[in-house]
Amino acid sequence: MTAGLRLRPIGIVRSRFREPSDLPPPAFAPPRFFERSTGEIEVFPEFAAGLDGLEGFSHILVIFHFHRAGGPKLEVVPPGESKPRGVFATRSPHRPNPLGLSVLRLLGREGGRLRVSGVDLIDGTPVLDIKPYTSRDRKSHIRTGWLQKQRRPAR
Amino acid sequence: MTAGLRLRPIGIVRSRFREPSDLPPPAFAPPRFFERSTGEIEVFPEFAAGLDGLEGFSHILVIFHFHRAGGPKLEVVPPGESKPRGVFATRSPHRPNPLGLSVLRLLGREGGRLRVSGVDLIDGTPVLDIKPYTSRDRKSHIRTGWLQKQRRPAR
């Protein structure tokens, strides 16, 4: 067992969302709100060569630091819900390890700059890793537990 | 910008794969090899309450530490390939931040133990985060760049 793991940002998000409160919860966002939301990931120059070959992929997985999250909680009440849920059954930022994950559409790359859509991240978010989205990440016939009961499906 | 982020495991993977060399590269694995591969995630008792509500989801996203990865590289030659690719265009463990991501099928939960399939992880892998897989993680009409040229599609 490892005692711990220290990570450092490889890049930063550029987004029109300045504050966590600028981001509507997915279940309550207008239709196609996030699909239309564009932004950039600036990968730091020392890591830009690591992006070579990513251009051919339509989508990327971005692991980021929830740097504005405050402290962790084991139970959270999701937006619009009344019942608390275990934090690992939600996408809440209040996690023991404050790691976030977004699947973004990759629109283009110029050197270390990735133009993306699907942005649900705030400006200045530290990016920890970028991975290509592959067919193994796409699951069909999924069940989404308590989310299925929400007024609008989370898309 | 943050100076760094320190993470600690919330659980550990139990798998029949003992060594990294026990895992075939996805593109060269027999059909349905990983779908049939079952195992467990043991979430440590102090975090088990964070799993409440996860039972209703068919799939989970698991972020883990590539604890056997060795050092990072910016370019890697994927298995069966001759051309180097940027590490962020691959799922290689040799990443600046050694974070891995797998989408697993959730078969059941007993307390802090999750029974899963789709296991492509080695025994003892430290788990950093678990998230529910939602419809926003499922993308259609994807392009998968250099992977599409491989002999067998990566599924």
Side-chain angles (χ1 to χ4, degrees):
Chain A
M1 179 50 51
T2 55
L5 171 63
R6 181 167 283 283
L7 306 180
R8 60 176 176 149
I10 58 141
I12 192 168
V13 171
R14 295 299 173 203
S15 155
R16 68 193 172 90
F17 304 116
R18 299 283 153 179
E19 298 292 327
S21 59
D22 293 340
L23 278 173
F28 299 95
R32 302 190 59 77
F33 178 85
F34 287 111
E35 286 90 330
R36 289 178 181 139
S37 168
T38 58
E40 286 193 346
I41 297 174
E42 287 181 22
V43 172
F44 301 140
E46 64 267 37
F47 298 114
L51 299 171
D52 290 349
L54 193 61
E55 308 84 10
F57 291 82
S58 59
H59 293 80
I60 58 176
L61 294 154
V62 177
I63 300 178
F64 59 92
H65 179 191
F66 276 124
H67 67 309
R68 297 280 300 274
K73 301 173 191 169
L74 273 190
E75 291 207 314
V76 297
V77 180
E81 298 282 302
S82 55
K83 197 175 157 185
R85 310 283 176 183
V87 70
F88 300 125
T90 78
R91 300 293 275 260
S92 164
H94 301 286
R95 323 184 73 78
N97 291 310
L99 298 175
L101 173 69
S102 290
V103 186
L104 305 183
R105 179 179 285 274
L106 180 59
L107 303 175
R109 174 193 172 202
E110 293 101 41
R113 300 178 87 85
L114 303 177
R115 282 187 304 112
V116 289
S117 68
V119 174
D120 53 1
L121 302 155
I122 62 170
D123 192 63
T125 295
V127 174
L128 300 170
D129 199 12
I130 298 171
K131 299 178 191 291
Y133 184 93
T134 81
S135 58
R136 297 184 71 223
D137 303 307
R138 187 180 50 187
K139 301 299 179 186
S140 49
H141 309 297
I142 65 172
R143 275 183 302 112
T144 59
W146 64 265
L147 268 178
Q148 277 164 339
K149 303 189 197 90
Q150 286 209 331
R151 271 182 277 162
R152 194 177 288 162
R155 334 202 114 250
Chain B
M1 179 51 51
T2 54
L5 171 63
R6 182 166 283 282
L7 306 181
R8 61 176 176 149
I10 59 143
I12 193 168
V13 171
R14 294 298 173 202
S15 154
R16 67 191 172 93
F17 305 115
R18 298 284 153 178
E19 297 293 325
S21 60
D22 293 339
L23 279 172
F28 299 96
R32 304 189 59 78
F33 178 85
F34 287 111
E35 286 90 330
R36 289 178 182 140
S37 167
T38 58
E40 286 193 347
I41 297 174
E42 287 181 22
V43 172
F44 301 140
E46 63 267 39
F47 299 113
L51 298 172
D52 289 349
L54 192 62
E55 307 83 9
F57 291 82
S58 58
H59 294 80
I60 58 175
L61 294 154
V62 177
I63 300 178
F64 58 92
H65 179 192
F66 276 125
H67 67 308
R68 297 280 300 275
K73 302 173 190 170
L74 274 188
E75 293 205 313
V76 297
V77 179
E81 297 282 303
S82 54
K83 199 177 155 184
R85 310 283 176 183
V87 70
F88 300 126
T90 77
R91 301 293 276 262
S92 164
H94 301 287
R95 322 183 74 78
N97 290 310
L99 298 175
L101 173 70
S102 291
V103 186
L104 304 184
R105 179 179 286 274
L106 180 59
L107 303 175
R109 173 193 172 203
E110 293 99 40
R113 300 179 87 86
L114 303 177
R115 282 188 304 113
V116 289
S117 67
V119 174
D120 53 2
L121 302 155
I122 61 171
D123 191 64
T125 295
V127 173
L128 300 171
D129 199 11
I130 297 170
K131 299 176 190 293
Y133 184 93
T134 81
S135 58
R136 296 185 71 223
D137 304 307
R138 187 180 49 187
K139 303 299 178 185
S140 48
H141 309 298
I142 65 171
R143 275 184 302 112
T144 58
W146 64 265
L147 268 178
Q148 279 163 338
K149 300 188 199 90
Q150 286 209 334
R151 272 182 277 163
R152 194 179 285 163
R155 337 200 115 251

